[in-house]
Amino acid sequence: MPKSTEDRQARRRRDAVQSAVAGTLLNLFTAGLLFWLWLSAERGGLLSKLLLLCIVLDLGSILPIWINLRVRLKEIQGGEEDAASQY
């Protein structure tokens, strides 16, 4: 493989990992913010239940981020983008 292809793949891998980390941190931050709001909400009310639902959904969306990262890294390793760019 030419060096430039290896450099492009390394850059793509790095960018994919950085995006997954940034997405995870953003989800954790928003879940923390929603949790803080939940602590100040009236217990048992509709707002409290909605905040809990949002917290669960926000934290639940972290796993798909990392699953998609794994798929993306396999695509990069397979060279699919490099092969497609030749057409």
Side-chain angles (χ1 to χ4, degrees), residues 47-64:
L47 180 61
S48 177
K49 292 175 184 176
L50 285 175
L51 285 171
L52 277 177
L53 177 65
C54 289
I55 291 169
V56 169
L57 291 175
D58 201 20
L59 292 175
S61 66
I62 292 175
L63 182 62

Side-chain angles (χ1 to χ4, degrees), residues 7-79:
D7 290 343
R8 283 193 304 254
Q9 284 186 351
R11 186 171 2 116
R12 288 180 187 138
R13 281 192 300 271
R14 185 185 67 240
D15 290 345
V17 171
Q18 286 176 351
S19 295
V21 169
T24 300
L25 291 176
L26 182 64
N27 282 5
L28 289 173
F29 174 76
T30 56
L33 182 63
L34 289 170
F35 182 71
W36 177 73
L37 289 172
W38 177 78
L39 290 175
S40 64
E42 180 181 326
R43 297 291 187 266
L46 179 63
L47 180 61
S48 177
K49 292 175 184 176
L50 285 175
L51 285 171
L52 277 177
L53 177 65
C54 289
I55 291 169
V56 169
L57 291 175
D58 201 20
L59 292 175
S61 66
I62 292 175
L63 182 62
I65 290 173
W66 291 95
I67 292 171
N68 286 328
L69 173 65
R70 184 176 174 203
V71 171
R72 176 72 177 129
L73 291 176
K74 285 182 182 179
E75 287 176 358
I76 293 169
Q77 184 179 7

